[in-house]
C-alpha cells in the first residue's frame, strides 16, 4: 500500500526507528486491555516493529508535523474482496479524531483504489470507544458473537472467553 497523507497524518509502512514510539503505547496495559497482547518490553517492541516492516497488514499512523508514530492500523484482505480493519492508538493522543481520520482515509482508499467490495471490523462489546468509532465510520453492527474467542487463560489454564461485535460496510454504502 502506498503512503497516504491527510491534513494531520501520514499513514505508511513501519520503519525500524518506530520502535520507541511503538513501545510508548504497546507497553501500556490500558491500551492493550482489549487486544490479544500483553504489554511489550523494549526488546519485544523492537522485534515486533521489525516484523511489521515486512507485514503488509500493519500500517503506521504518524503525526504529519513530527512523524511521531501515534498508532497503527491493521488492514488485510480476506475472502470475497473483503478487507478487515483494526486499530490501536497511543492513549496520549486520545479524543483528537486521529483514529477516525486514519481509518476513514484507509477505507476510502480501499473502496476507490483497491476495489474493495466490503470492509469489516471486530471489537469487544466492552470497548465502547472502539464500537463508537466504527459507528462514526458508518459501519453497521452485524452481529454479537458470544464467547467466540479467547486470547489468554486463567490460573487454571482455562480460556478466558470474550464476546465480539462484528461490523461491516459495503462499497455501495460508502
Amino acid at each position: 500500500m502506498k503512503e497516504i497523507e491527510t491534513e494531520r497524518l501520514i499513514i505508511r509502512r513501519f520503519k525500524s526507528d518506530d520502535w520507541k514510539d511503538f513501545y510508548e503505547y504497546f507497553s501500556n496495559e490500558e491500551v492493550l486491555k482489549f487486544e490479544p497482547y500483553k504489554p511489550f518490553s523494549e526488546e519485544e517492541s523492537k522485534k515486533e516493529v521489525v516484523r511489521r516492516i515486512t507485514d503488509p497488514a500493519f500500517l503506521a499512523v504518524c503525526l504529519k508535523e513530527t512523524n511521531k508514530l501515534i498508532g497503527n492500523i491493521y488492514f488485510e484482505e480476506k475472502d470475497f474482496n473483503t478487507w478487515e480493519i483494526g486499530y490501536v492508538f497511543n492513549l496520549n493522543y486520545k479524543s483528537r479524531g486521529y483514529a477516525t481520520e486514519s481509518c476513514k482515509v484507509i477505507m476510502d482508499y480501499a473502496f476507490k483504489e483497491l476495489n474493495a467490495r466490503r470492509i469489516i471490523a471486530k471489537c469487544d462489546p466492552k470497548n465502547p470507544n472502539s464500537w463508537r468509532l466504527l459507528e462514526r465510520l458508518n459501519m453497521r453492527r452485524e452481529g454479537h458473537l458470544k464467547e467466540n474467542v479467547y486470547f489468554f487463560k486463567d490460573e487454571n489454564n482455562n480460556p478466558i472467553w470474550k464476546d465480539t461485535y462484528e461490523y461491516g460496510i459495503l462499497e455501495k454504502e460508502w
Side-chain angles (χ1 to χ4, degrees):
M1 183 175 280
K2 68 177 187 173
E3 187 173 284
I4 298 175
E5 290 188 23
T6 69
E7 186 178 319
R8 304 180 300 163
L9 302 170
I10 296 172
I11 302 162
R12 59 166 173 77
R13 305 282 313 150
F14 272 85
K15 297 178 181 175
S16 58
D17 60 352
D18 286 331
W19 78 266
K20 287 180 185 174
D21 292 339
F22 182 84
Y23 173 70
E24 186 177 313
Y25 66 100
F26 254 75
S27 62
N28 185 327
E29 192 170 315
E30 187 64 22
V31 169
L32 301 178
K33 185 174 172 179
F34 301 106
E35 297 298 321
Y37 312 106
K38 295 285 186 186
F40 281 39
S41 67
E42 285 189 7
E43 194 57 40
E44 289 168 328
S45 295
K46 289 175 186 176
K47 287 179 183 174
E48 182 63 13
V49 165
V50 167
R51 189 191 74 72
R52 289 181 182 212
I53 289 170
T54 60
D55 187 339
F58 288 95
L59 302 169
V61 179
C62 305
L63 294 176
K64 197 175 202 177
E65 287 185 9
T66 62
N67 204 33
K68 179 176 180 58
L69 175 73
I70 62 165
N72 59 260
I73 292 178
Y74 163 80
F75 194 64
E76 186 170 47
E77 188 171 13
K78 303 296 184 179
D79 293 333
F80 307 110
N81 210 16
T82 296
W83 290 74
E84 183 175 356
I85 194 166
Y87 36 80
V88 179
F89 278 81
N90 188 325
L91 286 180
N92 294 330
Y93 299 89
K94 185 178 175 183
S95 301
R96 298 184 197 176
Y98 293 130
T100 303
E101 184 177 333
S102 57
C103 288
K104 189 173 187 176
V105 74
I106 292 297
M107 291 170 70
D108 197 58
Y109 175 79
F111 286 131
K112 291 179 179 173
E113 303 293 325
L114 302 176
N115 298 312
R117 185 186 64 81
R118 173 177 166 79
I119 296 175
I120 61 168
K122 299 173 186 170
C123 71
D124 190 312
K126 295 177 182 174
N127 187 355
N129 290 333
S130 187
W131 54 259
R132 286 184 186 127
L133 166 60
L134 297 172
E135 291 173 3
R136 278 195 303 279
L137 294 167
N138 295 318
M139 296 184 84
R140 159 187 60 261
R141 187 180 301 165
E142 296 181 332
H144 182 162
L145 305 177
K146 299 287 191 173
E147 295 186 9
N148 68 306
V149 68
Y150 72 89
F151 305 135
F152 304 108
K153 294 183 177 183
D154 66 17
E155 62 279 350
N156 296 317
N157 208 31
N158 296 312
I160 301 171
W161 292 102
K162 299 173 76 64
D163 290 5
T164 303
Y165 278 163
E166 290 192 345
Y167 280 81
I169 188 168
L170 298 171
E171 185 276 332
K172 63 186 174 186
E173 298 170 317
W174 186 248

